[in-house]
């Protein structure tokens, strides 16, 4: 793993501060931080900052990810988020580390291998924050009761 450097093409994205006790994995078009070795439910928060005028491309990229995620039984809930014309996010949850790792190589996660497209549309590499989910309200989704 290489360490991230700050430059116009390879800077750190705005967003939450990653934990200081984990390595920052650097890949073409994205970086990932956080722990991957604890038990329990997992999630990703992914921060994406579009270059001016490229918001529609990022929104389509999120749709492409969703199409892949629909094929992944261990991924969900999944939310594509838009904060502004240029700021986007993804929140996705998994029952455990194995499901999150399966997503990484599955039809949804493989979209992050589109490095040239990411570089073209993003102001910074996408930042994938690994998260633990210690608790949550799982019986309601967008105001509707979920049946187990």
């Amino acid at each position: 793993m290489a360490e991230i450097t700050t430059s116009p093409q390879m800077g750190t994205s705005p967003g939450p501060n990653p934990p200081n006790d984990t390595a920052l994995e650097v890949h073409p078009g994205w970086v990932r931080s956080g722990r991957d070795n604890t038990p329990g439910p997992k999630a990703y928060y992914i921060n994406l900052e579009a270059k001016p005028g490229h918001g529609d491309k990022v929104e389509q990229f999120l749709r492409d990810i969703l199409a892949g995620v629909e094929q992944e039984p261990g991924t969900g809930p999944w939310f594509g988020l838009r904060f502004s014309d240029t700021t986007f996010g993804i929140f996705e949850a998994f029952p455990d580390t194995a499901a999150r790792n399966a997503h990484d190589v599955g039809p949804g996660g493989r979209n992050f291998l589109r490095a040239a497209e990411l570089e073209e549309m993003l102001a910074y590499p996408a930042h994938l924050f690994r998260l633990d989910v210690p608790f949550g309200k799982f019986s309601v989704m967008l105001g509707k009761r979920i049946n187990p």
Side-chain angles (χ1 to χ4, degrees), residues 7-21:
S7 74
Q9 288 298 317
M10 182 62 116
T12 56
S13 172
N17 293 320
N20 290 332
D21 63 346

Side-chain angles (χ1 to χ4, degrees), residues 10-91:
M10 182 62 116
T12 56
S13 172
N17 293 320
N20 290 332
D21 63 346
T22 60
L24 184 63
E25 298 174 34
V26 178
H27 303 271
W30 56 279
V31 299
R32 179 169 47 198
S33 63
R35 297 177 189 88
D36 200 29
N37 59 354
T38 57
K42 302 294 173 196
Y44 273 127
Y45 168 70
I46 303 171
N47 192 72
L48 303 107
E49 184 67 30
K51 291 178 180 174
H54 287 79
D56 291 342
K57 288 181 182 179
V58 174
E59 191 170 303
Q60 181 58 52
F61 181 71
L62 296 182
R63 283 190 187 99
D64 294 346
I65 295 170
L66 175 59
V69 165
E70 294 286 358
Q71 303 170 48
E72 298 174 0
T75 303
W78 187 96
F79 295 96
L81 313 167
R82 187 168 193 161
F83 297 97
S84 70
D85 288 341
T86 58
T87 304
F88 296 82
I90 299 170
F91 178 81

Side-chain angles (χ1 to χ4, degrees), residues 77-126:
W78 187 96
F79 295 96
L81 313 167
R82 187 168 193 161
F83 297 97
S84 70
D85 288 341
T86 58
T87 304
F88 296 82
I90 299 170
F91 178 81
E92 51 195 356
F94 312 90
D96 52 31
T97 299
R100 184 169 62 190
N101 291 341
H103 165 69
D104 292 346
V105 297
R110 283 194 308 255
N111 283 284
F112 281 93
L113 298 177
R114 296 159 51 184
E117 189 176 343
L118 291 170
E119 186 176 322
E120 175 190 326
M121 66 183 170
L122 296 180
Y124 305 94

